[in-house]
Amino acid sequence: MAAGLSQEEPVNRRQFLRGGLRVAAMTGVGALVGALAGRSATDGTVWQIDPARCLRCGQCATECVLEQSAVKCVHTHAICGYCELCTGYFVPDPNALNTGAENQLCPTAAIRRKYVEDPYYEYTIDENLCIGCGKCVEGCNRFGNGSLYLQIRHDRCLNCNECSIARVCPGDAIHRVPARHPYLLKTTVSH
Amino acid sequence: MKRRAHTFLVGLWTWLAAAGVAGAEQRFPPPDFESGYQLPVTQTPAPRAEWLQYFDVLVLLIALGLACHLILRKRSRAGVVGLSLFSLLYFGFYREGCICAIGSVQNVALALFDRSYALPVTVLVFCLVPIVFSLVVGRAFCAAVCPHGALQDLVLLKPVKVPAWLEHALGVLPYLYLGAGVMFAATGSAFLICRYDPFVPLFRLSGSVLMLTTGAAFVVLGMFVGRPYCRFVCPYGALLRLGALVARWRVRVTPDFCTQCQLCEHSCPFGAMREPTAPAANPAAQSADRRRLGWLLLLLPVLIAAGAWLGGKLSVPLSRLDPNVALAEKFLDPRKAAPLPGVQTPQSLALGRAEDNPKELLAAAAAARQKFAAASWLFGGWVGLVIGVKLIGLSLRVARTDFEPDRGACFGCARCFSFCPNERVRLGLQPAPANLPAPAAVAATAASVPPAKPA
């Protein structure tokens, strides 16, 4: 114990240095808070696809960190033409206009086709089957009204700090949007 | 293309009405249903509620407070294990690794340099609160709140001792990783620390094969090397280590006096225990030490300058991690392959975007290049500084009379306490030895570390 007490002088000098550095670090943290407080937002952000920039490359299906991508096809029915020959639903040159698997463009048969009235058919997306590959989106945008488009579904999205799809998106279509307005839904026609 | 099936027999007024609603021409006007059909509404599932994010902050604060109490007051390994389990389940498997303090450093760096990025308050709190705690009580966050640390701590089976030279050499990596993470985040190019996080894919049970394998490798390594990620990779741990070096209070193994039994040294799986220094070194060796320290102090600015120079040279290759720079380089490359007609790859689509609007892309790429010109220079200087300071730290002599944990390296896992014979006496697990020192001396030692002492 005597040895311990005789060491008190240098320990005090170190303690003083430590105290000084600690105060400096606390001041630094305070300054950081001061600098960022004005610019921070109480509500967070989420990732979303801008349908106008989406190039339908298909990587949304494969690049998401989730095993089943958080990107799904959504349908704005107000823009839909309810076509009997839906170019988002049928492969080019289909054998017949029915729900036969060989006629469907969707690799997982996630689009449901329902007769409404002559000659209109309703198309709805089964999100549990949709993988977000955007094949239907390409068909609908190239030849139809463009009422099918991809959106990040926020009941599935983990809101990663760095969206792994945004990183490889060729259209640079995925950006952070305010969490209060988490969707970029189409309301007007664009091809 | 066949459009035979679509009917164009829709009245002109419908067409006009539709155009009015939609504000643009539609290839196929929306039908005028006669059967009373109602248009389905597009579902928009809401993101995670805002209050839940504030709840995460509350959980963080409570867990940190509890960790301090368990480590410094209760000195309870069982308590720390319990809290680690909770943190692993809550921040790890329930929150799936996001939000996490390790990655939040990048958000703060981005917010500092990019005025358009609005930093969520919760992220700012997650980044700064563990640092503030480290300045007061050391690495309580690492001990029991961080899910990454908890996972590695809980899988530890049979720790091997990492040789000192390797420990010191690898100990530099977290600072370099921190510098790189901050550089790429501040330039708005990438969030490296999140991208290459080995444990988050395990928490999510999904991710790229590369990262899942890396995570599994870290878990297996962690069975034999104590907390490999925390010690040799974690950039946030590097920050907390700096905080813990100047912390107000610290972990002390013995409750009163050290019997020099070395049991605590053997109990520490992280090599954080430091043995007492020899009381009197011979004067010749001391002066040699001083001379070396002097040389190293002179070397420090040289290392920083050399690092900055080298960093500046690496500016162009480093900037290629920015997606805009990478695309612009491909776009400007005269030898680029002509796109195959009819085949649309993501690469060809990206190049198509560049051709449609080259001005915007080239401006963004030039701005990123400019940022990297400054950032890589600073990063190089940082690398030099880290290496120089490490060398100086290695040649500093610290006087120690007892076995005590290294301030920076100690995670506060609370393993060592129960190995200390004096702690066992305090807990009443074994009888006090006959030659106990005078109570006054014990009280004097106890007063120097108030929070670790029971009354």
Side-chain angles (χ1 to χ4, degrees), chain B residues 98-351:
Chain B
C98 265
I99 184 172
C100 118
I102 303 172
S104 67
V105 180
Q106 303 165 106
N107 299 60
V108 171
L110 177 61
L112 274 176
F113 289 92
D114 180 358
R115 296 198 154 263
S116 65
Y117 174 66
L119 181 73
V121 171
T122 46
V123 175
L124 185 63
V125 174
F126 255 81
C127 179
L128 294 185
V129 164
I131 295 179
V132 171
F133 267 77
S134 80
L135 287 169
V136 182
V137 293
R139 301 172 72 170
F141 177 77
C142 300
V145 185
C146 176
H148 293 53
L151 178 64
Q152 292 170 86
D153 206 296
L154 294 170
V155 298
L156 184 58
L157 285 179
K158 187 162 176 52
V160 294
K161 194 171 159 47
V162 179
W165 63 269
L166 190 60
E167 173 107 36
H168 285 301
L170 293 176
V172 176
L173 293 181
Y175 294 97
L176 307 187
Y177 194 23
L178 175 68
V182 166
M183 173 178 67
F184 283 109
T187 52
S189 308
F191 278 18
L192 280 194
I193 300 171
C194 294
R195 193 185 300 177
Y196 297 113
D197 190 301
F199 296 113
V200 168
L202 296 187
F203 296 145
R204 292 174 176 165
L205 304 173
S206 79
S208 71
V209 176
L210 173 72
M211 287 329 291
L212 277 168
T213 333
T214 314
F218 264 106
V219 169
V220 173
L221 186 66
M223 293 176 181
F224 309 103
V225 177
R227 294 192 179 221
Y229 185 80
C230 305
R231 280 156 84 193
F232 309 127
V233 186
C234 182
Y236 194 68
L239 273 180
L240 295 187
R241 175 191 274 258
L242 292 180
L245 281 175
V246 297
R248 174 75 182 83
W249 291 307
R250 60 183 302 194
V251 171
R252 289 282 298 261
V253 183
T254 171
D256 35 38
F257 67 99
C258 177
T259 57
Q260 318 257 326
C261 64
Q262 299 193 15
L263 283 172
C264 56
E265 192 188 15
H266 295 304
S267 76
C268 182
F270 312 120
M273 207 60 73
R274 299 287 175 265
E275 57 187 355
T277 45
N282 87 64
Q286 239 174 8
S287 73
D289 279 357
R290 289 215 182 101
R291 216 172 305 128
R292 192 175 58 196
L293 185 60
W295 279 116
L296 287 174
L297 282 171
L298 284 177
L299 185 66
L300 182 65
V302 178
L303 276 173
I304 294 175
W309 178 79
L310 257 177
K313 294 267 161 211
L314 286 174
S315 145
V316 169
L318 283 175
S319 69
R320 288 193 186 120
L321 235 77
D322 186 279
N324 282 326
V325 174
L327 181 59
E329 282 205 343
K330 261 186 228 158
F331 172 62
L332 294 175
D333 185 3
R335 289 165 299 147
K336 70 181 169 196
L340 296 168
V343 182
Q344 285 193 329
T345 60
Q347 289 75 26
S348 71
L349 284 167
L351 281 174

Side-chain angles (χ1 to χ4, degrees), chain B residues 373-421:
Chain B
S376 59
W377 187 83
L378 285 171
F379 174 65
W382 168 255
V383 173
L385 177 73
V386 167
I387 294 173
V389 168
K390 181 74 199 178
L391 290 176
I392 291 170
L394 283 175
S395 45
L396 280 181
R397 259 180 63 83
V398 184
R400 262 186 309 264
T401 53
D402 291 352
F403 276 90
E404 49 189 49
D406 184 281
R407 282 174 174 270
C410 174
F411 293 110
C413 70
R415 275 188 181 85
C416 50
F417 297 147
S418 66
F419 283 80
C420 181

Side-chain angles (χ1 to χ4, degrees), chain A residues 18 22 39-42 65 75 82 85 93 117 119-120 122 142 144-145 153 158 161-162 170 183 188-189, chain B residues 2 7 22 26-28 31 34-35 37 42-43 45 54 96 107 111 119 135 191 206 245-246 353 407:
Chain A
R18 251 186 213 121
R22 186 164 60 238
R39 258 182 284 157
S40 42
T42 47
V65 293
H75 196 182
Y82 285 81
L85 171 58
D93 267 328
E117 62 182 61
Y120 301 126
E122 182 199 73
R142 194 165 285 268
N145 285 351
R153 306 305 272 169
L158 299 174
N161 220 350
E162 178 187 58
Y183 290 92
T188 54
V189 184
Chain B
K2 291 180 218 170
T7 174
Q26 293 191 194
R27 285 183 180 135
F28 304 104
E34 286 157 6
S35 58
Y37 168 79
T42 310
Q43 296 299 309
Y54 287 98
E96 297 183 314
N107 299 60
L119 181 73
L135 287 169
F191 278 18
S206 79
L245 281 175
V246 297
R353 170 168 69 96
R407 282 174 174 270

Side-chain angles (χ1 to χ4, degrees), chain A residues 66-119:
Chain A
L66 289 172
E67 206 168 287
Q68 222 202 67
S69 177
V71 175
K72 302 286 167 195
C73 177
V74 298
H75 196 182
T76 297
H77 286 85
I79 308 176
C80 182
Y82 285 81
C83 315
E84 189 182 2
L85 171 58
C86 170
T87 49
Y89 184 83
F90 289 110
V91 291
D93 267 328
N95 289 331
L97 296 185
N98 57 32
T99 56
E102 72 278 14
N103 302 325
Q104 290 188 38
L105 192 59
C106 179
T108 57
I111 307 180
R112 298 266 155 79
R113 183 176 193 255
K114 201 178 89 186
Y115 174 75
V116 181
E117 62 182 61
D118 196 51

